[in-house]
Each structure stands twice: as structure tokens, then as C-alpha cells.
Amino acid sequence: MDVPYDLTSYVRVLKMATTPTTQEFLQVSKIAGAGILLVGFLGFIIGGIMLLLTGSGGV
């Protein structure tokens, strides 16, 4: 592992990085939010199917 080479590559990446514009940030936020909602919805559906298959109401 060549530590000086690794550090220079990290510094180069940090120099290339820029702060996202408001439009870019909003687009990424919408996509991430949609992904979170999709995963939650799939979990809800799977939980409902498991509830129907096992028949345990729990109440």
C-alpha cells in the first residue's frame, strides 16, 4: 500500500468535488425519498401478505 500515492489521489478527488446546486440537491433528495417510500411500501405489502398467510391477527 503506497500511502503518499493514496493521499494524493484523495486530495485530487476533494479538489474536483463541488457543492451541488439547489436543483441538483432537490433532484437527489426526490430520488432518495422515492426510494425510501418504495422500500417502505414493499415492506408493508410483504407484512400484509405474511399476515394473511399465517393468519395471526395479534389483536
Side-chain angles (χ1 to χ4, degrees):
M1 184 164 119
D2 192 12
V3 175
Y5 176 74
D6 290 341
L7 288 177
T8 57
S9 64
Y10 296 148
V11 169
R12 183 176 27 165
V13 168
L14 287 175
K15 285 181 181 178
M16 288 174 47
T18 60
T19 304
T21 63
T22 304
Q23 183 178 1
E24 289 171 337
F25 179 77
L26 290 175
Q27 184 176 8
V28 170
S29 298
K30 288 177 187 176
I31 292 170
I36 291 170
L37 289 175
L38 179 64
V39 169
F41 182 70
L42 286 174
F44 182 75
I45 295 297
I46 291 172
I49 291 171
M50 293 298 291
L51 184 66
L52 290 174
L53 290 177
T54 59
S56 61
V59 178

Short mmCIF file of all heavy atoms in Angstrom, two decimals:
data_model
loop_
_atom_site.label_atom_id
_atom_site.label_comp_id
_atom_site.label_asym_id
_atom_site.label_seq_id
_atom_site.Cartn_x
_atom_site.Cartn_y
_atom_site.Cartn_z
N MET A 1 0.85 -1.18 0.00
CA MET A 1 0.00 0.00 0.00
C MET A 1 0.90 1.24 0.00
O MET A 1 1.69 1.44 0.91
CB MET A 1 -0.90 -0.02 1.24
CG MET A 1 -1.88 1.11 1.26
SD MET A 1 -3.17 0.78 2.46
CE MET A 1 -2.96 2.13 3.55
N ASP A 2 0.76 2.05 -1.00
CA ASP A 2 1.58 3.25 -1.14
C ASP A 2 0.83 4.44 -0.56
O ASP A 2 -0.04 5.02 -1.21
CB ASP A 2 1.92 3.47 -2.61
CG ASP A 2 3.00 4.51 -2.81
OD1 ASP A 2 3.62 4.91 -1.82
OD2 ASP A 2 3.20 4.92 -3.96
N VAL A 3 1.15 4.80 0.68
CA VAL A 3 0.40 5.83 1.40
C VAL A 3 0.48 7.20 0.72
O VAL A 3 -0.55 7.85 0.54
CB VAL A 3 0.83 5.90 2.88
CG1 VAL A 3 0.15 7.04 3.58
CG2 VAL A 3 0.53 4.58 3.57
N PRO A 4 1.66 7.68 0.31
CA PRO A 4 1.69 9.01 -0.34
C PRO A 4 0.84 9.06 -1.62
O PRO A 4 0.18 10.05 -1.88
CB PRO A 4 3.17 9.23 -0.65
CG PRO A 4 3.88 8.38 0.34
CD PRO A 4 3.01 7.18 0.55
N TYR A 5 0.85 7.97 -2.39
CA TYR A 5 0.04 7.95 -3.60
C TYR A 5 -1.45 7.99 -3.25
O TYR A 5 -2.22 8.69 -3.89
CB TYR A 5 0.34 6.70 -4.42
CG TYR A 5 -0.54 6.57 -5.63
CD1 TYR A 5 -0.35 7.39 -6.74
CD2 TYR A 5 -1.58 5.65 -5.65
CE1 TYR A 5 -1.17 7.29 -7.85
CE2 TYR A 5 -2.41 5.56 -6.75
CZ TYR A 5 -2.20 6.37 -7.85
OH TYR A 5 -3.01 6.27 -8.93
N ASP A 6 -1.84 7.25 -2.24
CA ASP A 6 -3.24 7.25 -1.82
C ASP A 6 -3.68 8.63 -1.36
O ASP A 6 -4.77 9.09 -1.70
CB ASP A 6 -3.46 6.24 -0.70
CG ASP A 6 -3.34 4.80 -1.17
OD1 ASP A 6 -3.46 4.58 -2.39
OD2 ASP A 6 -3.13 3.92 -0.32
N LEU A 7 -2.84 9.30 -0.61
CA LEU A 7 -3.19 10.64 -0.11
C LEU A 7 -3.33 11.63 -1.26
O LEU A 7 -4.26 12.45 -1.25
CB LEU A 7 -2.15 11.12 0.90
CG LEU A 7 -2.16 10.42 2.25
CD1 LEU A 7 -1.03 10.93 3.12
CD2 LEU A 7 -3.48 10.57 2.94
N THR A 8 -2.44 11.56 -2.24
CA THR A 8 -2.54 12.50 -3.36
C THR A 8 -3.81 12.23 -4.17
O THR A 8 -4.44 13.18 -4.65
CB THR A 8 -1.31 12.41 -4.27
OG1 THR A 8 -1.15 11.07 -4.73
CG2 THR A 8 -0.06 12.87 -3.55
N SER A 9 -4.18 10.98 -4.31
CA SER A 9 -5.41 10.70 -5.06
C SER A 9 -6.64 11.20 -4.29
O SER A 9 -7.59 11.70 -4.88
CB SER A 9 -5.53 9.21 -5.37
OG SER A 9 -5.65 8.46 -4.19
N TYR A 10 -6.62 11.09 -2.96
CA TYR A 10 -7.74 11.59 -2.17
C TYR A 10 -7.83 13.11 -2.26
O TYR A 10 -8.92 13.67 -2.39
CB TYR A 10 -7.59 11.18 -0.70
CG TYR A 10 -7.65 9.70 -0.46
CD1 TYR A 10 -6.94 9.12 0.58
CD2 TYR A 10 -8.42 8.87 -1.26
CE1 TYR A 10 -6.99 7.75 0.81
CE2 TYR A 10 -8.47 7.50 -1.04
CZ TYR A 10 -7.75 6.95 -0.01
OH TYR A 10 -7.81 5.61 0.22
N VAL A 11 -6.69 13.77 -2.21
CA VAL A 11 -6.67 15.23 -2.30
C VAL A 11 -7.17 15.67 -3.68
O VAL A 11 -7.94 16.64 -3.80
CB VAL A 11 -5.25 15.77 -2.02
CG1 VAL A 11 -5.15 17.25 -2.38
CG2 VAL A 11 -4.89 15.55 -0.56
N ARG A 12 -6.79 14.95 -4.72
CA ARG A 12 -7.24 15.29 -6.08
C ARG A 12 -8.75 15.17 -6.19
O ARG A 12 -9.41 16.02 -6.78
CB ARG A 12 -6.55 14.37 -7.08
CG ARG A 12 -6.87 14.69 -8.51
CD ARG A 12 -6.10 13.81 -9.44
NE ARG A 12 -5.80 12.55 -8.76
CZ ARG A 12 -5.39 11.45 -9.37
NH1 ARG A 12 -5.23 11.43 -10.64
NH2 ARG A 12 -5.14 10.35 -8.70
N VAL A 13 -9.31 14.13 -5.61
CA VAL A 13 -10.77 13.95 -5.65
C VAL A 13 -11.46 15.08 -4.88
O VAL A 13 -12.47 15.63 -5.33
CB VAL A 13 -11.17 12.57 -5.07
CG1 VAL A 13 -12.67 12.49 -4.84
CG2 VAL A 13 -10.71 11.46 -6.00
N LEU A 14 -10.93 15.45 -3.72
CA LEU A 14 -11.54 16.53 -2.94
C LEU A 14 -11.46 17.87 -3.67
O LEU A 14 -12.37 18.69 -3.56
CB LEU A 14 -10.86 16.64 -1.58
CG LEU A 14 -11.22 15.53 -0.59
CD1 LEU A 14 -10.40 15.67 0.68
CD2 LEU A 14 -12.69 15.54 -0.28
N LYS A 15 -10.39 18.10 -4.43
CA LYS A 15 -10.28 19.34 -5.19
C LYS A 15 -11.29 19.38 -6.33
O LYS A 15 -11.79 20.44 -6.70
CB LYS A 15 -8.87 19.50 -5.74
CG LYS A 15 -7.86 19.90 -4.71
CD LYS A 15 -6.49 20.08 -5.33
CE LYS A 15 -5.47 20.47 -4.27
NZ LYS A 15 -4.12 20.61 -4.85
N MET A 16 -11.61 18.21 -6.91
CA MET A 16 -12.57 18.16 -8.01
C MET A 16 -14.01 18.28 -7.53
O MET A 16 -14.89 18.66 -8.28
CB MET A 16 -12.41 16.84 -8.78
CG MET A 16 -11.15 16.78 -9.61
SD MET A 16 -10.90 15.18 -10.38
CE MET A 16 -12.48 14.82 -11.08
N ALA A 17 -14.26 17.93 -6.27
CA ALA A 17 -15.62 17.93 -5.73
C ALA A 17 -16.15 19.37 -5.62
O ALA A 17 -15.43 20.29 -5.25
CB ALA A 17 -15.64 17.26 -4.36
N THR A 18 -17.42 19.54 -5.94
CA THR A 18 -18.05 20.85 -5.84
C THR A 18 -19.35 20.72 -5.05
O THR A 18 -19.92 19.64 -4.94
CB THR A 18 -18.38 21.43 -7.22
OG1 THR A 18 -19.27 20.53 -7.89
CG2 THR A 18 -17.13 21.63 -8.06
N THR A 19 -19.80 21.82 -4.52
CA THR A 19 -21.08 21.84 -3.83
C THR A 19 -22.20 21.75 -4.87
O THR A 19 -22.16 22.46 -5.87
CB THR A 19 -21.22 23.15 -3.03
OG1 THR A 19 -20.11 23.27 -2.15
CG2 THR A 19 -22.50 23.17 -2.24
N PRO A 20 -23.18 20.89 -4.65
CA PRO A 20 -24.26 20.77 -5.62
C PRO A 20 -25.12 22.03 -5.67
O PRO A 20 -25.27 22.73 -4.66
CB PRO A 20 -25.07 19.57 -5.13
CG PRO A 20 -24.77 19.49 -3.68
CD PRO A 20 -23.38 19.99 -3.51
N THR A 21 -25.68 22.28 -6.84
CA THR A 21 -26.61 23.41 -6.95
C THR A 21 -27.92 23.02 -6.26
O THR A 21 -28.15 21.86 -5.93
CB THR A 21 -26.90 23.73 -8.43
OG1 THR A 21 -27.54 22.61 -9.03
CG2 THR A 21 -25.61 24.05 -9.17
N THR A 22 -28.76 24.00 -6.05
CA THR A 22 -30.05 23.73 -5.40
C THR A 22 -30.87 22.75 -6.22
O THR A 22 -31.51 21.85 -5.67
CB THR A 22 -30.82 25.05 -5.21
OG1 THR A 22 -30.01 25.96 -4.47
CG2 THR A 22 -32.12 24.82 -4.47
N GLN A 23 -30.83 22.88 -7.54
CA GLN A 23 -31.60 21.99 -8.41
C GLN A 23 -31.07 20.55 -8.30
O GLN A 23 -31.86 19.61 -8.21
CB GLN A 23 -31.52 22.47 -9.85
CG GLN A 23 -32.36 21.64 -10.81
CD GLN A 23 -32.28 22.17 -12.23
OE1 GLN A 23 -31.60 23.15 -12.50
NE2 GLN A 23 -32.98 21.52 -13.13
N GLU A 24 -29.76 20.38 -8.29
CA GLU A 24 -29.18 19.05 -8.15
C GLU A 24 -29.54 18.44 -6.80
O GLU A 24 -29.89 17.26 -6.71
CB GLU A 24 -27.66 19.11 -8.28
CG GLU A 24 -27.16 19.40 -9.67
CD GLU A 24 -25.66 19.66 -9.71
OE1 GLU A 24 -25.07 20.03 -8.68
OE2 GLU A 24 -25.09 19.48 -10.81
N PHE A 25 -29.45 19.24 -5.75
CA PHE A 25 -29.78 18.75 -4.41
C PHE A 25 -31.24 18.31 -4.33
O PHE A 25 -31.55 17.26 -3.77
CB PHE A 25 -29.48 19.82 -3.37
CG PHE A 25 -29.82 19.39 -1.98
CD1 PHE A 25 -28.99 18.52 -1.29
CD2 PHE A 25 -30.97 19.85 -1.35
CE1 PHE A 25 -29.30 18.12 -0.01
CE2 PHE A 25 -31.29 19.44 -0.08
CZ PHE A 25 -30.45 18.57 0.61
N LEU A 26 -32.15 19.12 -4.89
CA LEU A 26 -33.56 18.76 -4.85
C LEU A 26 -33.84 17.49 -5.65
O LEU A 26 -34.63 16.64 -5.24
CB LEU A 26 -34.41 19.91 -5.39
CG LEU A 26 -34.49 21.14 -4.48
CD1 LEU A 26 -35.25 22.26 -5.17
CD2 LEU A 26 -35.13 20.79 -3.16
N GLN A 27 -33.17 17.32 -6.77
CA GLN A 27 -33.37 16.13 -7.59
C GLN A 27 -32.89 14.88 -6.85
O GLN A 27 -33.59 13.86 -6.81
CB GLN A 27 -32.63 16.26 -8.92
CG GLN A 27 -32.88 15.10 -9.86
CD GLN A 27 -32.20 15.31 -11.21
OE1 GLN A 27 -31.43 16.25 -11.38
NE2 GLN A 27 -32.47 14.43 -12.14
N VAL A 28 -31.72 14.95 -6.23
CA VAL A 28 -31.21 13.82 -5.47
C VAL A 28 -32.11 13.53 -4.27
O VAL A 28 -32.37 12.36 -3.95
CB VAL A 28 -29.75 14.08 -5.03
CG1 VAL A 28 -29.28 13.04 -4.04
CG2 VAL A 28 -28.83 14.11 -6.24
N SER A 29 -32.62 14.57 -3.62
CA SER A 29 -33.50 14.38 -2.47
C SER A 29 -34.80 13.70 -2.88
O SER A 29 -35.29 12.82 -2.18
CB SER A 29 -33.81 15.73 -1.83
OG SER A 29 -32.66 16.34 -1.35
N LYS A 30 -35.35 14.10 -4.03
CA LYS A 30 -36.58 13.47 -4.51
C LYS A 30 -36.36 12.00 -4.84
O LYS A 30 -37.18 11.15 -4.49
CB LYS A 30 -37.10 14.20 -5.75
CG LYS A 30 -37.68 15.56 -5.46
CD LYS A 30 -38.09 16.25 -6.74
CE LYS A 30 -38.51 17.68 -6.50
NZ LYS A 30 -38.82 18.39 -7.75
N ILE A 31 -35.25 11.68 -5.47
CA ILE A 31 -34.96 10.30 -5.83
C ILE A 31 -34.74 9.46 -4.58
O ILE A 31 -35.26 8.33 -4.46
CB ILE A 31 -33.74 10.23 -6.77
CG1 ILE A 31 -34.09 10.86 -8.11
CG2 ILE A 31 -33.26 8.80 -6.96
CD1 ILE A 31 -32.92 11.07 -9.04
N ALA A 32 -33.99 9.99 -3.61
CA ALA A 32 -33.76 9.26 -2.37
C ALA A 32 -35.06 9.07 -1.60
O ALA A 32 -35.32 7.99 -1.06
CB ALA A 32 -32.74 10.00 -1.51
N GLY A 33 -35.90 10.11 -1.55
CA GLY A 33 -37.19 9.99 -0.88
C GLY A 33 -38.09 8.97 -1.54
O GLY A 33 -38.77 8.19 -0.86
N ALA A 34 -38.10 8.95 -2.87
CA ALA A 34 -38.90 7.96 -3.58
C ALA A 34 -38.41 6.55 -3.29
O ALA A 34 -39.21 5.62 -3.12
CB ALA A 34 -38.86 8.24 -5.09
N GLY A 35 -37.09 6.38 -3.20
CA GLY A 35 -36.54 5.06 -2.87
C GLY A 35 -36.93 4.62 -1.47
O GLY A 35 -37.28 3.46 -1.26
N ILE A 36 -36.90 5.54 -0.52
CA ILE A 36 -37.29 5.21 0.86
C ILE A 36 -38.77 4.82 0.91
O ILE A 36 -39.16 3.84 1.56
CB ILE A 36 -36.99 6.39 1.80
CG1 ILE A 36 -35.49 6.56 1.95
CG2 ILE A 36 -37.65 6.20 3.15
CD1 ILE A 36 -35.07 7.82 2.65
N LEU A 37 -39.61 5.58 0.21
CA LEU A 37 -41.04 5.26 0.19
C LEU A 37 -41.30 3.92 -0.49
O LEU A 37 -42.15 3.14 -0.03
CB LEU A 37 -41.81 6.36 -0.53
CG LEU A 37 -41.93 7.68 0.22
CD1 LEU A 37 -42.61 8.74 -0.67
CD2 LEU A 37 -42.71 7.49 1.50
N LEU A 38 -40.57 3.62 -1.56
CA LEU A 38 -40.74 2.35 -2.26
C LEU A 38 -40.37 1.17 -1.37
O LEU A 38 -41.11 0.18 -1.29
CB LEU A 38 -39.90 2.33 -3.54
CG LEU A 38 -39.96 1.05 -4.36
CD1 LEU A 38 -41.38 0.83 -4.90
CD2 LEU A 38 -38.97 1.11 -5.50
N VAL A 39 -39.25 1.28 -0.67
CA VAL A 39 -38.83 0.20 0.22
C VAL A 39 -39.84 0.04 1.37
O VAL A 39 -40.20 -1.09 1.74
CB VAL A 39 -37.41 0.47 0.76
CG1 VAL A 39 -37.06 -0.49 1.88
CG2 VAL A 39 -36.40 0.37 -0.36
N GLY A 40 -40.34 1.14 1.92
CA GLY A 40 -41.34 1.06 2.98
C GLY A 40 -42.64 0.43 2.50
O GLY A 40 -43.24 -0.39 3.19
N PHE A 41 -43.05 0.80 1.29
CA PHE A 41 -44.27 0.24 0.73
C PHE A 41 -44.12 -1.26 0.48
O PHE A 41 -45.03 -2.04 0.77
CB PHE A 41 -44.63 0.97 -0.57
CG PHE A 41 -45.90 0.50 -1.21
CD1 PHE A 41 -47.13 0.78 -0.62
CD2 PHE A 41 -45.88 -0.22 -2.39
CE1 PHE A 41 -48.31 0.35 -1.19
CE2 PHE A 41 -47.05 -0.66 -2.97
CZ PHE A 41 -48.27 -0.37 -2.37
N LEU A 42 -42.96 -1.66 -0.04
CA LEU A 42 -42.73 -3.09 -0.26
C LEU A 42 -42.74 -3.85 1.07
O LEU A 42 -43.30 -4.95 1.16
CB LEU A 42 -41.40 -3.32 -0.97
CG LEU A 42 -41.37 -2.98 -2.45
CD1 LEU A 42 -39.95 -3.12 -3.00
CD2 LEU A 42 -42.33 -3.85 -3.22
N GLY A 43 -42.15 -3.27 2.11
CA GLY A 43 -42.19 -3.90 3.42
C GLY A 43 -43.61 -4.02 3.96
O GLY A 43 -43.97 -5.04 4.56
N PHE A 44 -44.42 -3.00 3.72
CA PHE A 44 -45.81 -3.03 4.15
C PHE A 44 -46.58 -4.13 3.42
O PHE A 44 -47.35 -4.88 4.03
CB PHE A 44 -46.45 -1.66 3.89
CG PHE A 44 -47.87 -1.56 4.33
CD1 PHE A 44 -48.20 -1.44 5.67
CD2 PHE A 44 -48.89 -1.59 3.39
CE1 PHE A 44 -49.51 -1.34 6.07
CE2 PHE A 44 -50.22 -1.49 3.79
CZ PHE A 44 -50.53 -1.37 5.12
N ILE A 45 -46.37 -4.23 2.12
CA ILE A 45 -47.04 -5.26 1.33
C ILE A 45 -46.61 -6.65 1.78
O ILE A 45 -47.44 -7.56 1.96
CB ILE A 45 -46.75 -5.06 -0.18
CG1 ILE A 45 -47.36 -3.75 -0.67
CG2 ILE A 45 -47.25 -6.23 -1.01
CD1 ILE A 45 -48.86 -3.68 -0.57
N ILE A 46 -45.31 -6.85 1.97
CA ILE A 46 -44.82 -8.17 2.41
C ILE A 46 -45.37 -8.49 3.79
O ILE A 46 -45.77 -9.63 4.06
CB ILE A 46 -43.28 -8.19 2.39
CG1 ILE A 46 -42.79 -8.16 0.95
CG2 ILE A 46 -42.74 -9.43 3.12
CD1 ILE A 46 -41.30 -7.98 0.79
N GLY A 47 -45.43 -7.50 4.68
CA GLY A 47 -46.00 -7.73 6.00
C GLY A 47 -47.47 -8.11 5.92
O GLY A 47 -47.93 -8.99 6.66
N GLY A 48 -48.22 -7.46 5.03
CA GLY A 48 -49.63 -7.81 4.84
C GLY A 48 -49.80 -9.22 4.31
O GLY A 48 -50.69 -9.96 4.75
N ILE A 49 -48.97 -9.59 3.36
CA ILE A 49 -49.05 -10.96 2.80
C ILE A 49 -48.72 -11.98 3.88
O ILE A 49 -49.39 -13.01 4.01
CB ILE A 49 -48.11 -11.09 1.59
CG1 ILE A 49 -48.64 -10.25 0.43
CG2 ILE A 49 -47.95 -12.55 1.17
CD1 ILE A 49 -47.69 -10.15 -0.75
N MET A 50 -47.68 -11.70 4.67
CA MET A 50 -47.32 -12.63 5.75
C MET A 50 -48.44 -12.74 6.78
O MET A 50 -48.70 -13.81 7.31
CB MET A 50 -46.02 -12.18 6.42
CG MET A 50 -44.80 -12.28 5.54
SD MET A 50 -44.45 -13.95 5.01
CE MET A 50 -43.95 -14.67 6.55
N LEU A 51 -49.11 -11.63 7.05
CA LEU A 51 -50.22 -11.65 8.00
C LEU A 51 -51.36 -12.52 7.47
O LEU A 51 -51.97 -13.29 8.20
CB LEU A 51 -50.70 -10.22 8.25
CG LEU A 51 -51.79 -10.03 9.29
CD1 LEU A 51 -51.26 -10.40 10.66
CD2 LEU A 51 -52.28 -8.60 9.28
N LEU A 52 -51.63 -12.40 6.17
CA LEU A 52 -52.70 -13.21 5.57
C LEU A 52 -52.33 -14.68 5.52
O LEU A 52 -53.18 -15.54 5.73
CB LEU A 52 -53.01 -12.70 4.15
CG LEU A 52 -53.69 -11.33 4.07
CD1 LEU A 52 -53.80 -10.91 2.61
CD2 LEU A 52 -55.07 -11.39 4.71
N LEU A 53 -51.08 -14.99 5.23
CA LEU A 53 -50.68 -16.38 5.12
C LEU A 53 -50.60 -17.09 6.47
O LEU A 53 -50.98 -18.26 6.57
CB LEU A 53 -49.31 -16.48 4.43
CG LEU A 53 -49.28 -16.13 2.94
CD1 LEU A 53 -47.86 -16.20 2.41
CD2 LEU A 53 -50.19 -17.05 2.15
N THR A 54 -50.13 -16.40 7.49
CA THR A 54 -50.01 -17.04 8.79
C THR A 54 -51.32 -17.00 9.57
O THR A 54 -51.53 -17.83 10.45
CB THR A 54 -48.90 -16.39 9.63
OG1 THR A 54 -49.20 -15.00 9.79
CG2 THR A 54 -47.54 -16.54 8.95
N GLY A 55 -52.17 -16.04 9.29
CA GLY A 55 -53.47 -15.95 9.94
C GLY A 55 -53.41 -15.45 11.36
O GLY A 55 -54.40 -15.52 12.08
N SER A 56 -52.27 -14.96 11.81
CA SER A 56 -52.18 -14.47 13.19
C SER A 56 -52.53 -12.99 13.21
O SER A 56 -51.80 -12.16 12.69
CB SER A 56 -50.78 -14.69 13.76
OG SER A 56 -49.83 -14.01 12.99
N GLY A 57 -53.67 -12.67 13.81
CA GLY A 57 -54.11 -11.28 13.89
C GLY A 57 -53.34 -10.49 14.93
O GLY A 57 -53.06 -9.33 14.76
N GLY A 58 -52.99 -11.13 16.04
CA GLY A 58 -52.23 -10.46 17.07
C GLY A 58 -53.05 -9.54 17.94
O GLY A 58 -52.56 -8.99 18.91
N VAL A 59 -54.34 -9.37 17.66
CA VAL A 59 -55.18 -8.47 18.47
C VAL A 59 -56.10 -9.28 19.32
O VAL A 59 -56.65 -10.25 19.02
CB VAL A 59 -56.00 -7.51 17.58
CG1 VAL A 59 -56.88 -6.64 18.44
CG2 VAL A 59 -55.07 -6.69 16.74
#
